[in-house]
C-alpha cells in the first residue's frame, strides 16, 4: 500500500491559503519545466479569481518522498462554513494558516474548533512574516491561547509551528529564511498521521460532489474502511436508513490537479465514484450485505433569507435566457444538491421562492453565478431569521472584528453602537486599533459600506455567527430616501443635470430606465419621483448641442452585495445577465400611494 497523508488547509479569508497551495504544487513539480501555470491555480472559477476568495473546496494530490499527499484547499469566509465542515472529514491533519500581522480572526476560530472536534492533528503556519509591522512571536502566543480556549487536547496543544512567506516561497521552523518550502513538506510527513485504516466492511462518506456531462454525478469522499473496486456491487445508505444497491461504473483517485482512473481504491485514500445518481452529500457507501452507515454531518443552520422571484419589470426577457418560474425552481433545486448550507421554500405565490443562506456573501455568490448562466430574477431585501425559544423572541448575533487606523476608531465604534453592537475588546496592534464587538446579524446589513466610507476604505472587517440571543429592538435603516423614475425611456443629460442638487444618481445619461426604477439617492429622507427622460425643447433660439454634459457627476457604481445591503423592505433588485437595477416592488406611483394608505389604516 502507498503511504498517504490527507491534509486540509484552513485559515481566515485572505491569509494566503491558495498561494501556499500554489507553492506546494510548484515544489513537487506537478508542472513540466516549460509549462505555464499562472497564480492562484486552485481558484479556477471566474468568480473566485475576480473576488480573490476561495468559494468551493478543492482537492489536489502531490507526491513527495514517495508519499502521496492529498491537499484540500478550503474556503476562508464564514458564509461558506458548511463547505469547510464537511470536507474536514476527509482529512487526518490540518494546516492552520495565520497572518503574522492580523493573528487569529473570527473565521480562524470557527474552522479550528471544527477541526479540533474531529480530533485532527494541527500544524500551525505563520504566514507573511515579510510584511512590515508583523509580530510572529505575539501571534504564536495568541494561537496557543486560542487552542487552549477551544479545549484542545494536550497532544493538540503541542503543535509544531512553521514561519515563512507563501509569496516569497519559503517556510522554516524558525524565523530564519529557508531556501524553499521543503521544511514544511517534511513537517507534513513527520506530524500528520497516516490515514487510520479500520478493520471491517466498506465505509465511505460522501463529502462533496462533482458533475461531468459524460459521466453524470460523481461522489467524492475518503474510504475509512474496506476497499472499492470497479464493477463492484455496493450499497448506498441514504437518509432515513434506506439502502440502495448499485454498481460502481468507474473509479478515480486524485493525481496532480486532475483525476486518474483506477481499478481499486484502498481505505485511507480520497476517491471519486461514478455510477450512482440518487445520492446526497452526507450519504455513505457501505457493504450491501452487512451495511453499517456512517453518522451524517450536521450543518449549522442558515441565518438569513431572501425572496427569489421571476423578473416582472417592463424589461422582462430582454437580456436573459432563463426567465420563467420553472427555470428558477429547477436551478435552485440543482443548487441544493451541492450547497449544504442553503434551504429553499415555496411561498404562496407560485413565482416566488424563499431562499435561506449563511450570509449576504453566500447568497450573492449564488445570484452572481445564476446571472452569469443567463437567469433573470427579482431579489427581495435580506431578512434575518428570528426564532422563538422558551416563549422569547430571539435573533442571531455575530462576533465582529474590525482593524482600523487609530484616528478612525471612534467612527467605527459609533457606527457599530448605533446598530446595537456592544464593544468587548479594544487593543492596539502596531499602528492599528483592534476592536471586537458582539452585534445582531441585522446590524451587519449595510454596515460594511458605511464603515468603509467613514474610514476612507481603511477598515478591515470580519464577522461570524456566534449564537441566538434576545431580540434587541429596532435598528435604524437607511437615512436617505431614493429618487424614483417617473417614466420609461432613456435618461437625458439635460434632465439629470437639472436634478443634481436633489441627490446622487445611479444611472448615466443614455441608460434605459422604467417607471418605478430607483435611479439615485435623495439628499434627505423620503422618496422623490423624478422625470429623467425629458429632453430639451428645441426651437429657433435653442441649439441641440449646447447641453452642459461636463457638469454631470459620474454615477455611483454599486456591486450586487452593496445593492442587497442598500434596499429597504418595499424595494427589490432586478438581476439579469448584464444589468443590476434597484426598483420599487410596486412600480406604479398611484399603486404605491394606495398601498401606503392601506398600511397606515391597518
Amino acid at each position: 500500500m502507498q503511504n498517504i497523508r490527507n491534509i486540509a488547509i484552513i485559515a481566515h479569508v485572505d491569509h494566503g491559503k491558495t498561494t501556499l497551495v500554489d507553492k506546494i504544487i510548484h515544489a513537487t513539480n506537478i508542472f513540466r519545466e516549460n509549462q505555464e501555470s499562472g497564480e492562484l491555480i486552485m481558484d479556477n472559477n471566474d468568480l473566485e479569481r475576480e473576488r480573490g476568495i476561495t468559494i468551493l473546496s478543492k482537492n489536489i494530490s502531490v507526491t513527495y518522498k514517495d508519499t502521496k499527499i492529498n491537499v484540500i484547499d478550503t474556503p476562508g469566509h464564514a458564509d461558506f462554513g458548511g463547505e469547510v465542515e464537511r470536507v474536514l472529514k476527509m482529512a487526518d491533519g490540518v494546516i492552520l494558516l495565520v497572518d503574522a500581522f492580523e493573528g487569529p480572526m473570527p473565521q480562524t476560530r470557527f474552522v479550528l474548533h471544527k477541526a479540533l472536534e474531529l480530533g485532527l492533528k494541527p500544524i500551525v503556519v505563520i504566514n507573511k512574516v515579510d510584511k512590515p509591522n508583523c509580530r510572529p512571536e505575539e501571534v504564536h502566543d495568541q494561537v496557543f491561547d486560542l487552542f487552549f480556549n477551544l479545549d484542545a487536547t494536550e497532544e493538540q496543544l503541542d503543535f509544531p509551528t512553521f514561519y515563512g512567506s507563501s509569496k516569497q516561497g519559503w517556510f522554516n521552523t524558525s524565523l530564519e529564511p529557508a531556501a524553499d518550502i521543503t521544511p514544511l513538506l517534511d513537517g507534513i510527513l513527520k506530524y500528520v498521521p497516516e490515514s487510520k485504516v479500520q478493520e471491517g466492511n466498506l465505509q465511505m462518506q460522501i463529502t462533496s460532489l462533482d458533475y461531468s456531462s459524460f459521466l453524470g454525478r460523481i461522489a467524492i469522499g475518503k474510504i475509512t474502511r474496506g476497499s472499492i473496486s470497479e464493477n463492484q456491487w455496493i450499497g448506498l445508505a441514504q437518509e432515513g436508513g434506506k439502502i440502495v444497491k448499485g454498481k460502481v461504473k468507474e473509479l478515480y483517485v486524485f493525481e496532480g490537479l486532475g483525476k486518474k482512473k483506477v481499478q481499486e481504491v484502498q481505505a485511507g485514500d480520497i476517491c471519486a465514484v461514478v455510477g450512482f445518481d440518487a445520492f446526497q452529500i452526507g450519504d455513505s457507501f457501505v457493504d450491501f450485505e452487512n451495511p453499517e452507515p456512517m453518522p451524517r454531518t450536521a450543518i449549522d443552520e442558515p441565518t438569513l433569507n431572501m425572496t427569489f422571484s421571476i423578473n416582472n419589470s417592463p424589461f422582462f426577457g430582454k437580456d436573459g435566457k432563463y426567465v420563467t418560474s420553472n427555470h428558477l425552481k429547477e436551478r435552485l433545486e440543482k443548487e441544493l444538491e451541492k450547497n449544504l448550507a442553503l434551504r429553499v421554500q415555496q411561498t404562496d405565490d407560485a413565482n416566488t421562492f424563499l431562499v435561506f443562506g449563511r450570509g449576504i456573501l453566500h447568497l450573492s455568490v449564488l445570484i452572481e453565478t445564476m446571472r452569469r448562466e443567463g437567469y433573470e430574477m427579482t431579489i427581495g431585501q435580506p431578512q434575518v431569521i428570528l426564532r422563538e425559544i422558551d416563549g422569547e423572541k430571539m435573533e442571531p448575533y455575530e462576533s465582529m472584528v474590525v482593524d482600523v487606523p487609530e484616528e478612525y476608531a471612534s467612527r467605527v465604534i459609533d457606527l457599530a453602537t448605533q446598530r446595537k453592537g456592544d464593544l468587548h475588546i479594544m487593543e492596539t496592534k502596531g499602528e492599528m486599533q483592534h476592536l471586537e464587538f458582539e452585534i445582531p446579524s441585522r446590524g451587519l446589513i449595510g454596515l460594511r459600506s458605511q464603515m468603509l466610507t467613514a474610514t476612507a476604505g481603511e477598515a478591515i472587517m470580519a464577522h461570524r455567527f456566534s449564537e441566538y440571543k434576545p431580540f434587541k429592538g429596532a435598528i435604524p435603516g437607511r437615512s436617505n430616501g431614493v429618487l424614483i423614475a417617473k417614466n420609461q425611456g432613456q435618461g437625458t443629460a439635460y434632465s439629470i443635470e437639472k436634478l443634481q442638487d436633489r441627490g446622487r444618481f445611479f444611472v448615466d445619461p443614455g441608460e434605459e430606465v422604467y417607471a418605478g426604477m430607483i435611479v439615485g439617492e435623495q439628499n434627505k429622507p423620503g422618496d422623490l419621483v423624478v422625470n429623467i427622460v425629458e429632453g430639451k425643447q428645441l426651437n429657433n433660439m435653442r441649439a441641440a448641442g449646447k447641453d452642459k454634459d461636463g457638469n454631470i457627476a459620474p454615477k455611483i457604481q454599486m456591486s450586487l452585495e452593496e445593492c442587497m445591503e442598500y434596499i429597504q423592505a418595499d424595494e427589490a433588485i432586478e438581476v439579469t445577465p448584464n444589468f443590476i437595477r434597484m426598483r420599487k416592488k410596486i412600480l406604479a406611483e398611484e399603486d404605491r400611494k394606495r398601498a401606503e394608505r392601506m398600511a397606515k389604516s391597518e
Side-chain angles (χ1 to χ4, degrees):
M1 265 188 69
Q2 191 180 10
N3 267 336
I4 295 171
R5 302 283 191 279
N6 299 318
I7 189 148
I9 300 184
I10 58 175
H12 186 80
V13 68
D14 233 12
H15 281 196
K17 286 182 305 304
T18 306
T19 311
L20 172 60
V21 176
D22 285 359
K23 297 302 175 197
I24 291 174
I25 289 169
H26 287 299
T28 50
N29 299 324
I30 284 183
F31 294 107
R32 298 188 307 276
E33 292 290 315
N34 59 352
Q35 196 172 347
E36 276 291 315
S37 61
E39 287 184 347
L40 303 179
I41 300 156
M42 297 291 276
D43 284 350
N44 49 14
N45 162 325
D46 287 346
L47 261 180
E48 292 181 313
R49 284 185 169 276
E50 281 169 30
R51 290 165 182 254
I53 58 170
T54 302
I55 295 169
L56 303 166
S57 65
K58 306 180 191 64
N59 302 46
I60 59 154
S61 116
V62 298
T63 304
Y64 178 70
K65 294 190 175 172
D66 297 330
T67 302
K68 179 179 181 180
I69 304 173
N70 285 315
V71 181
I72 306 158
D73 183 17
T74 64
H77 205 287
D79 284 16
F80 307 109
E83 186 85 14
V84 180
E85 281 169 65
R86 60 167 202 254
V87 296
L88 285 177
K89 289 220 167 166
M90 295 196 279
D92 300 302
V94 289
I95 289 180
L96 174 69
L97 198 66
V98 185
D99 185 301
F101 170 68
E102 290 183 355
M105 296 288 274
Q107 179 65 8
T108 319
R109 184 186 184 93
F110 169 77
V111 286
L112 180 62
H113 182 52
K114 298 289 177 195
L116 295 177
E117 271 183 346
L118 290 168
L120 302 180
K121 176 74 184 168
I123 294 175
V124 173
V125 174
I126 295 177
N127 190 21
K128 305 191 183 180
V129 297
D130 54 321
K131 271 173 85 170
N133 294 332
C134 70
R135 36 195 196 99
E137 288 93 349
E138 208 178 309
V139 167
H140 179 270
D141 295 342
Q142 287 179 341
V143 172
F144 185 84
D145 293 343
L146 178 61
F147 272 77
F148 187 77
N149 293 337
L150 293 175
D151 299 326
T153 62
E154 279 191 28
E155 191 188 351
Q156 286 171 331
L157 279 170
D158 187 23
F159 55 81
T161 306
F162 292 84
Y163 301 90
S165 161
S166 299
K167 205 170 177 185
Q168 293 181 353
W170 66 269
F171 283 99
N172 207 346
T173 47
S174 67
L175 283 164
E176 195 62 42
D180 51 26
I181 68 161
T182 46
L184 178 59
L185 292 170
D186 290 331
I188 292 174
L189 301 193
K190 181 177 175 184
Y191 298 110
V192 177
E194 281 191 51
S195 214
K196 294 188 204 74
V197 177
Q198 302 165 10
E199 293 300 314
N201 294 321
L202 169 66
Q203 271 191 340
M204 168 184 154
Q205 186 152 46
I206 301 168
T207 47
S208 62
L209 58 83
D210 204 349
Y211 183 81
S212 149
S213 45
F214 301 108
L215 304 170
R217 296 179 76 206
I218 303 168
I220 298 170
K222 182 178 87 170
I223 303 178
T224 35
R225 276 186 357 199
S227 63
I228 297 182
S229 321
E230 202 173 72
N231 299 324
Q232 181 183 350
W233 287 90
I234 57 174
L236 172 68
Q238 296 177 321
E239 204 167 6
K242 188 180 172 192
I243 311 279
V244 179
K245 190 174 183 181
K247 186 180 183 182
V248 178
K249 289 182 185 163
E250 290 184 12
L251 203 54
Y252 294 85
V253 292
F254 290 90
E255 187 169 272
L257 298 173
K259 299 188 189 83
K260 180 175 96 172
K261 193 174 174 193
V262 290
Q263 296 300 311
E264 186 182 23
V265 182
Q266 298 287 340
D269 206 351
I270 295 171
C271 69
V273 177
V274 177
F276 291 79
D277 270 341
F279 65 81
Q280 294 295 329
I281 287 169
D283 293 351
S284 39
F285 288 129
V286 291
D287 182 65
F288 186 70
E289 304 300 328
N290 305 296
E292 293 173 54
M294 297 178 76
R296 300 179 75 81
T297 313
I299 297 293
D300 285 357
E301 290 297 306
T303 56
L304 272 186
N305 67 35
M306 291 174 79
T307 56
F308 280 49
S309 50
I310 60 168
N311 181 12
N312 59 0
S313 85
F315 296 165
F316 157 81
K318 278 189 175 182
D319 201 25
K321 233 184 342 184
Y322 307 109
V323 294
T324 67
S325 57
N326 275 348
H327 285 140
L328 200 56
K329 186 181 179 189
E330 282 168 18
R331 179 64 181 81
L332 289 171
E333 283 172 353
K334 186 177 149 198
E335 187 67 25
L336 281 175
E337 292 180 352
K338 59 177 188 292
N339 199 333
L340 272 200
L342 201 75
R343 308 266 187 285
V344 176
Q345 202 175 302
Q346 178 75 58
T347 63
D348 300 339
D349 178 359
N351 294 330
T352 304
F353 303 90
L354 201 54
V355 180
F356 298 80
R358 269 285 185 73
I360 294 247
L361 184 67
H362 183 208
L363 291 168
S364 76
V365 164
L366 166 63
I367 297 163
E368 187 65 46
T369 309
M370 285 171 70
R371 76 178 263 238
R372 287 175 187 221
E373 289 169 7
Y375 286 84
E376 275 192 20
M377 61 205 140
T378 305
I379 307 299
Q381 185 194 25
Q383 301 286 343
V384 164
I385 300 167
L386 303 176
R387 287 185 186 169
E388 195 161 301
I389 302 171
D390 301 330
E392 193 176 4
K393 191 168 157 189
M394 309 287 257
E395 66 173 329
Y397 274 68
E398 313 236 351
S399 35
M400 175 174 81
V401 172
V402 184
D403 285 308
V404 67
E406 212 160 323
E407 66 264 31
Y408 299 121
S410 59
R411 293 186 200 177
V412 169
I413 295 167
D414 190 36
L415 279 171
T417 45
Q418 279 174 21
R419 289 165 171 263
K420 303 277 195 272
D422 295 325
L423 180 64
H424 286 303
I425 293 173
M426 182 175 182
E427 57 190 25
T428 306
K429 279 187 182 179
E431 295 164 12
M432 306 283 269
Q433 279 287 345
H434 176 78
L435 310 168
E436 290 188 23
F437 299 88
E438 185 176 62
I439 186 167
S441 297
R442 289 178 300 139
L444 288 169
I445 296 173
L447 180 61
R448 187 183 297 271
S449 52
Q450 281 191 1
M451 206 171 270
L452 288 173
T453 308
T455 61
E458 293 272 0
I460 300 165
M461 171 180 155
H463 54 88
R464 74 170 192 90
F465 170 71
S466 57
E467 59 183 322
Y468 270 82
K469 292 176 88 172
F471 187 74
K472 237 186 174 182
I475 288 176
R478 188 180 70 208
S479 54
N480 290 10
V482 289
L483 302 172
I484 305 162
K486 187 177 184 179
N487 305 330
Q488 185 167 332
Q490 276 192 354
T492 64
Y494 174 74
S495 296
I496 291 175
E497 201 252 328
K498 292 243 179 304
L499 289 162
Q500 283 200 109
D501 58 340
R502 293 305 184 99
R504 305 180 305 160
F505 280 87
F506 301 147
V507 292
D508 277 331
E511 276 188 48
E512 290 278 347
V513 300
Y514 53 79
M517 180 173 150
I518 295 171
V519 292
E521 179 178 77
Q522 211 195 162
N523 290 335
K524 55 187 182 184
D527 296 343
L528 182 68
V529 177
V530 294
N531 183 359
I532 68 162
V533 301
E534 186 184 15
K536 186 174 179 182
Q537 295 300 315
L538 302 181
N539 56 28
N540 294 343
M541 305 297 290
R542 283 174 155 177
K546 287 190 181 171
D547 273 344
K548 294 183 284 184
D549 289 12
N551 296 344
I552 295 176
K555 71 172 182 182
I556 301 169
Q557 295 275 10
M558 286 176 88
S559 68
L560 177 60
E561 277 115 90
E562 285 168 337
C563 291
M564 285 162 74
E565 293 186 336
Y566 185 80
I567 59 171
Q568 300 292 298
D570 65 334
E571 295 163 0
I573 308 166
E574 176 191 354
V575 179
T576 72
N578 295 308
F579 297 98
I580 294 172
R581 303 181 180 99
M582 290 184 283
R583 48 165 283 186
K584 287 289 180 184
K585 279 187 179 169
I586 302 170
L587 293 177
E589 188 180 356
E590 282 304 313
D591 296 347
R592 279 201 302 277
K593 285 179 177 168
R594 194 177 302 121
E596 262 176 55
R597 284 197 298 271
M598 285 172 71
K600 278 177 187 167
S601 63
E602 282 170 14

